[in-house]
Amino acid sequence: MTFPQITATVLAVVSLLTSAMNLSAGGAKGLGEPGALKSLRIDTGRVKNGAFLLAGRDAWQQLQVAGVFASGPERDLTRGVTFSTTPAGIVKIDAAGLVTPLQEGKATITATHKGITADVDVNVTNLIDDIPVHFANQVVPLFTKYGCNAGGCHGKASGQNGFKLSLLGFEPEEDYEYVVKENRGRRILPSAPAHSMLLLKASGGMAHGGGKKIDPASAPYRIMLRWVEQGTPYGRASDPTVTGIDVFPGERLLDLNSQQQLTVIARMSDGSTVDVTRLSQFETNERELAQVDESGLISTKNLPGIVAVMARYQTHVAVFRALIPLGAPVAKLPAAKNFIDEQVYRQLQKLGLPPSELCDDGTFLRRVTIDIAGRLPTLDETRAFLADKDADRHAKLVDRLLASADYADLFASKWSAVLRNRRATAKEDARPTIAFHGWIREALDKNVPFDQFVRGVLTAKGEAIKSPPVIWYREVKDVAAQVEDVSQLFLGQRIACAKCHHHPLEKWNQQDYWSLAAFFTRVEVKAPKNVKNKGKKNKGPAGPAPSWVVNLKAGKAQATNPKTNAVVQPAGLAGPALSIPTDEDPRAKLVDWMADPKNPYFARTLANRYWKHFMGRGLVEPEDDLRATNPATNPELLDALARSFVDSKFDLKKLIRVICTSNAYRLSALPNAHNADDRQNYSRFLPRRLNAEILFDAIDAVTLTRPAFKGVPVGTRAVKLPDNQFESYFLSVFGRPDFASACECERSSDSSLAQSLHLMNSVELAKKVAGERARKLASDKRPLDERLGELYLVALSRTPSTAELTRMRSYLEARPASQGWEDLLWAVLNTKEFLYNH
């Protein structure tokens, strides 16, 4: 046939899922009117004995003034109050609430707003006998704050323009050598400190590729100048060190288009505290919702949601979390089916974000069948479910799908990808890959507890043909790859950075990395040797094909920290060091630690990964990056999911069942007047394009095409392929993963022009459209409306509307039967309603 040129008339035949107008901010009231101001409170995060201390010429304290109102939450009034001091002349306070010393003594600071006041005392010392600047505590954090030691500047491995710093200041001893002693100390000019190259370049007084970084009138500049004036001291071994930081407040409800000042306090080893707000680096995880400046001032925008702001000082990080409510009334909520609904609804009510209504049965049937079984519902399944009036029909459908072979097929494909079950080329022996895929599928079909599944992979040994999980080690041959895959896949920790330096966004350092690596140091991975048949042509094969082999080497499980050359014993992250007997598999001890009910990573990571599979977005994004500086949008829900998973003894099917039987999962994808922009709080179902394999199979199911991939039996669905070495342009263009890493980000669900062109113009799709389904519909003698209804039930799991029937009937009656049905079939396959799970 000539591929149909679809006109506007044809495109109007079927309904499309249209994008709703952006109405999220319409009618929003945020926190609403606060009512009358009742009282003020001045917060410093460090008041001791009724006063805070300013010690040293360039000490400071960031004040926060909270307003307590008759109704509603507290609000930040720091920039709206009037400050005064008694007596005058002891300290200076700017409009942002930053207190700096003028002379030694004691004073009382008063904040006044609308006739209401609050006081705090301050004690100023060490202006005459100045305190030496501490290089690691005060100078190095400035390099981090202004990006000097970032990976794109002087912190990269080779440095920048002859000047190198340790990445993010994690090695201050090395930085001291670079700054003070390298190149005969040319960066420091003790006789004229202000003319030191270090200061001139940073302040714009000398040509600098990074531009001007520091204002000469600022406190950070004065700290560096005093440090040079004092003779560039490093600090004494007895000086207090930073043990951790806190950000104040830790969490707060913020209004739309409002501001919140943060204060960062360092806890010192001698029990004292220091305000390090102006030495800290800030970063927000949702720039669409809020931004933060270098002083720690957060400015929210006109969108509701949840935003986290990370504060980094030295190697320490802390997080502030803000909830920005829409403020709409949430009066009508679907009944709560389980704890998931309770936690989702709690947050929606807190944010004033009304959810969409529940979806209809046809939509739910299609959605859950795609998500659990990786396929479209059959015609019989659709008719039966739409006719079913049982109150428990949704839960029973979930149970049927979980018991089906299709569930195991879909999730075997998912786990095969992240467990890197792939051949290097299509010509490589496929038997080990097929065996590992089969092992994964069988474990899922039998519902093997997840901790046992992980144990089977990590402790695999012997030949791959006899022990299929050995194939995991084919792609992770060395200790580093094993550590990093295990951490990312099963613990949600991207620990690769800590191999060479302290993790920039987490607490993990090289000791943590190599402690985890010690569990794998006895693993020996042997690649198969090529075996060639040296006999004559008629003698047949030489014997069984060679296989990958994993053994445990003799000796003790331990690693060496390359930075310190110290021997490191095996230990879980933040866990105790273990001395493992040489006759025990250290990998089993690692799994013991992971599967401990108290482990803070294992259950949470899997729960978050599966939540994203079904809800379209993880509670933490990316789904395998569960660091402290990347908090969940709903921490209580993630904790509850993890507890439920642990209590079920790591039952994967139970976890899926509790998600899919919640009303949160059943919410419609159609937005209401308030939630079109919500992608964090699950106020509606998030539509997403069908994965490549599912879409390929769905088109085949609708057109009645039998797939034919080379190397597997005809009729093998794409979702059942063991790896990605089965040639298909369709699967490639629609984002099939490469099976090359532990990250699910390899799979692309984005839409592209190439995809649209392929669906519109490909010869492959044209042949399918002109195939058995179109011929059957054209030759069928049933009434036209009945055949059109069947097409909709097969492709969309619903019946067409009266208007759709009228348009389609009119189109078919004006054309030859075969061409008309092919056109309609093609049009349906190109609708968003078909291409998306919604």
Side-chain angles (χ1 to χ4, degrees), residues 87-145:
I90 303 295
V91 294
K92 175 185 175 182
I93 311 173
D94 68 12
L98 187 70
V99 184
T100 52
L102 295 175
Q103 67 178 31
E104 294 188 0
K106 296 181 179 180
T108 298
I109 299 171
T110 302
T112 305
H113 187 69
K114 295 183 177 180
I116 297 177
T117 63
D119 298 332
V120 67
D121 294 331
V122 57
N123 185 17
V124 179
T125 66
N126 294 97
L127 298 192
I128 300 171
D129 296 325
D130 195 15
I131 299 173
V133 175
H134 192 284
F135 180 75
N137 288 351
Q138 293 172 276
V139 177
V140 172
L142 292 175
F143 296 152
T144 304
K145 183 177 182 69

Side-chain angles (χ1 to χ4, degrees), residues 8 18 113 117 124 143 151 161 170 229 284 313-314 336 369 537 548 565 576 621 678 686 712 745 758 777-778 790:
T18 57
H113 187 69
T117 63
V124 179
F143 296 152
N161 294 332
F170 294 141
E229 290 174 341
T284 177
Y313 174 71
Q314 292 188 339
T369 305
K537 191 173 182 179
W548 287 83
N565 289 322
E621 278 290 328
D678 177 36
L686 298 177
V712 292
C745 58
H758 187 72
L777 289 171
E790 182 177 296

